[in-house]
Amino acid sequence: MMIMTKLPIFLLVSHLLLPSAYALNDVGDAVPVYTDDELIKLFATNQHLQKVKADDCQLVQDIKARAERVESPSYQFLYGDMLAWGVCVPKDIEQGLYYMREAAQQGSPVALEQLGRYYSRGILLQQDRERAIPYLREAAALGNIKARLQLAELLVSDHGSPLDYEDAYRWLYQTTTDNQSLYRQLKNLRHRLEQRMPENIIARAKQRSTLW
């Protein structure tokens, strides 16, 4: 007759947990969710999509949740860009643009600038430079340097309204940089706008730049 022996309960539990412990070691460290400050820096250098790929697409569900449920404009833009270009998710241009627009409606400068650029250059959207201007104008007012440059380029190329000259000039005048190439761009665009503006409007734009 065979005698059955029972393992103490703590040994049985330890035995059952061992595979999970080894499995966790194989997975490695989890990637932390990006902060808004981190995303802003990544957007500024256009490295956000590369970052998501470099993190082995581990944060897709977190990014999606923050875009859909939390409605964070930074994450709406990130998720929209991922969808538009098929980065770590199936490509869906229409849905990607939807999330970019959601971010833009919440005042995201990077979303406003990108939509303006897409309309201006005909990327993913039908080219419509006049439709690009409101997006770029809003982003420029929020301090986005790329938008300020693009808005001025459109205005000096006979797009938009002369009523926008003063604000566009003021935003260029307010922009500071130690990048010599960017400085030359700003100076050149200011000069081209000056050729289209009365002297009193130029003076007023400069004065408002010192007050604001």
Side-chain angles (χ1 to χ4, degrees), residues 26-200:
D26 290 340
V27 170
D29 295 332
V31 176
V33 178
Y34 314 127
T35 66
D36 272 348
D37 286 343
E38 287 174 323
L39 286 178
I40 289 169
K41 291 177 182 177
L42 290 168
F43 295 153
T45 54
N46 197 31
Q47 293 179 336
H48 51 289
L49 296 182
Q50 291 92 321
K51 175 63 174 171
V52 174
K53 287 192 288 187
D55 289 334
D56 297 323
C57 304
Q58 291 186 51
L59 293 178
V60 171
Q61 292 306 315
D62 287 310
I63 293 168
K64 182 179 179 182
R66 282 165 173 75
E68 290 181 343
R69 296 185 213 140
V70 181
E71 298 183 349
S72 159
S74 294
Y75 276 93
Q76 286 174 330
F77 174 74
L78 176 59
Y79 188 49
D81 222 16
M82 289 165 60
L83 286 165
W85 298 105
V87 174
C88 294
V89 292
K91 189 172 184 177
D92 188 334
I93 295 174
E94 185 175 350
Q95 192 73 352
L97 291 170
Y98 166 80
Y99 280 105
M100 288 183 206
R101 288 192 175 101
E102 288 291 298
Q105 286 177 5
Q106 292 203 65
S108 166
V110 67
L112 288 160
E113 184 277 326
Q114 182 149 300
L115 286 169
R117 174 162 36 91
Y118 283 3
Y119 274 118
S120 178
R121 299 181 185 178
I123 301 171
L124 301 183
L125 294 160
Q126 293 297 312
Q127 189 175 43
D128 188 338
R129 293 190 176 96
E130 298 303 322
R131 194 167 181 181
I133 287 175
Y135 286 104
L136 294 174
R137 180 182 168 81
E138 191 69 23
L142 292 169
N144 188 285
I145 296 175
K146 292 179 183 177
R148 291 178 175 185
L149 294 170
Q150 290 175 83
L151 176 62
E153 286 281 5
L154 287 173
L155 292 174
V156 298
S157 299
D158 295 322
H159 297 286
S161 167
L163 296 174
D164 289 326
Y165 290 172
E166 182 177 353
D167 284 335
Y169 185 90
R170 175 167 56 85
W171 292 326
L172 293 176
Y173 194 78
Q174 286 175 339
T175 303
T176 58
T177 180
D178 59 0
N179 182 304
Q180 290 301 308
S181 176
L182 177 57
Y183 178 80
R184 286 192 293 271
Q185 278 184 276
L186 293 165
K187 184 177 180 180
N188 178 52
L189 286 169
R190 284 204 319 269
H191 177 67
R192 291 169 69 185
L193 279 171
E194 283 172 354
Q195 294 177 321
R196 295 165 173 262
M197 298 167 64
E199 289 186 10
N200 65 312

